[in-house]
């Protein structure tokens, strides 16, 4: 449904995308995961025909993003990073505006947006600029869906939205997927990776891995230890200062530690931390999750 072949794009001296290739299958929920500046927005803008690549080609539903840009725009729903709502129009006026641009009406396509729109309908006379982040997000999604797109492209739809709204939003995406819509979504939140069918982990214009979240974790060869103590800040510093530790970073209430030697046992790490006078210590071996794998891949490619 989406084909990207050797796409490169630079802004003056910044190489935003370096020879990117991947495919998204029909009906797939595909995630572009990566920190700020990874190139996610640039890639989406190329696919949305809003920016032209320097090199390579891309297709949306068999249509070329440069040659067939007009057809693609009718086929695809887009929710840009900063929600493209008219702040001084009401909720209903925004939706009517997007429907009119695509030559349709709210009534005609109400079924598709119903589940989402009913949540903001009680506020339909409120100005979009006066909505909360979560409500703006729902309105922006309704606007992106109002012309019944086959493909939905969402650029960081959950950035700046609270945890509950984030979860609800992903539930909505799953429902849209069940209706046959192919979804490409970007996010800087690594925990959202596990909600996608497949993900591409991006950093500095490159794809570091591309696979299902489960397979990315399965194929990760490294061991992982978890540690906590009374003084977490000092714990991280002590861990990072030890030559037997490759990486250590905060993960919830623990520090996740990748030892240089995968065979290191928890007890060896514990002895080291006891020698540093840490109290209320807890150290144990654990299994890496997708976030751990991403952190490891990103730090390896930074070296
Ligand atoms: N219009 C522009 N002019 C110059 N450099 C740009 C422009 N747009 C993006 N860049 C640079 O290209 C790189 C990729 O940016 P891009 O916005 O695509 O990344 P991103 O993964 O979407 O991150 P973000 O969440 O910050 O938007 C960054 O180094 C960015 O500074």
């Amino acid at each position: 449904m989406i084909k990207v072949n050797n796409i490169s794009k630079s802004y003056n001296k910044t190489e935003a995308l370096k020879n990117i290739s991947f495919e998204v299958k029909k009906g797939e929920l595909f995630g572009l995961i990566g920190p700020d500046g990874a190139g996610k927005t640039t890639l989406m803008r190329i696919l949305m025909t809003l920016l032209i690549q320097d090199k390579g080609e891309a297709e949306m539903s068999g249509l070329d993003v440069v040659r067939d840009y007009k057809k693609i725009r009718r086929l695809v729903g887009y929710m840009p990073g900063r929600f493209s709502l008219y702040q001084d129009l009401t909720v209903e006026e925004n939706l009517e505006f997007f429907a009119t641009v695509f030559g349709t009406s709210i009534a005609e396509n109400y079924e598709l947006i119903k589940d989402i729109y009913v949540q903001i309908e009680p506020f339909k006379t409120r100005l979009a600029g006066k909505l909360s982040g979560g409500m703006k997000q729902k309105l922006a999604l309704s606007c992106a869906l109002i012309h019944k797109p086959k493909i939905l492209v969402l650029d960081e739809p959950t950035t700046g939205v609270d945890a509950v709204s984030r979860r609800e939003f992903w539930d909505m995406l799953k429902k849209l997927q069940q209706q046959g819509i192919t979804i490409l979504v970007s996010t800087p939140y690594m925990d959202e990776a596990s909600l996608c069918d497949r993900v591409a982990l991006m950093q500095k214009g490159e794809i570091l891995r591309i696979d299902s979240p489960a397979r990315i974790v399965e194929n990760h060869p490294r061991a992982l230890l978890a540690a906590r103590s009374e003084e977490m800040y000092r714990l991280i510093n002590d861990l990072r200062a030890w030559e037997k530790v490759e990486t250590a970073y905060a993960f919830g209430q623990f520090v996740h530690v990748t030892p240089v030697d995968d065979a290191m046992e928890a007890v060896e790490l514990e002895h080291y931390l006891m020698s540093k006078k840490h109290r209320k210590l807890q150290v144990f071996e654990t299994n890496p999750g997708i976030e751990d794998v991403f952190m490891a891949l990103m730090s390896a490619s930074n070296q």
Side-chain angles (χ1 to χ4, degrees), residues 65-81:
V65 289
V66 180
R67 230 177 18 243
D68 305 316
Y69 71 95
K70 278 193 182 151
K71 285 185 193 152
I72 290 180
R73 289 179 189 178
R74 301 201 70 83
L75 197 90
V76 184
Y78 179 43
M79 190 169 149

Side-chain angles (χ1 to χ4, degrees), residues 11-12 14-17 34-43 155-156 188:
Y11 302 99
N12 301 318
T14 310
E15 278 187 277
L17 295 174
D36 282 352
K40 307 181 298 292
T41 301
T42 302
L43 180 57
D155 193 0
E156 297 197 12

Side-chain angles (χ1 to χ4, degrees), residues 99 109 117 138 144 158 177 194 199 206 219 222 226 275 284 295:
N109 292 325
Y117 191 58
K138 288 183 181 113
T158 54
Q177 184 191 17
S194 55
V199 294
E206 291 176 302
N219 294 332
R222 302 301 304 271
S275 78
F284 53 92
M295 292 299 279

Side-chain angles (χ1 to χ4, degrees), residues 222-248:
R222 302 301 304 271
L224 189 74
L225 300 166
R228 76 191 276 188
S229 87
E230 232 172 28
E231 298 167 83
M232 291 298 274
Y233 182 70
R234 192 164 73 80
L235 182 77
I236 293 191
N237 286 336
D238 285 342
L239 286 165
R240 288 185 177 159
W242 197 26
E243 70 280 2
K244 290 190 174 185
V245 165
E246 194 170 297
T247 61

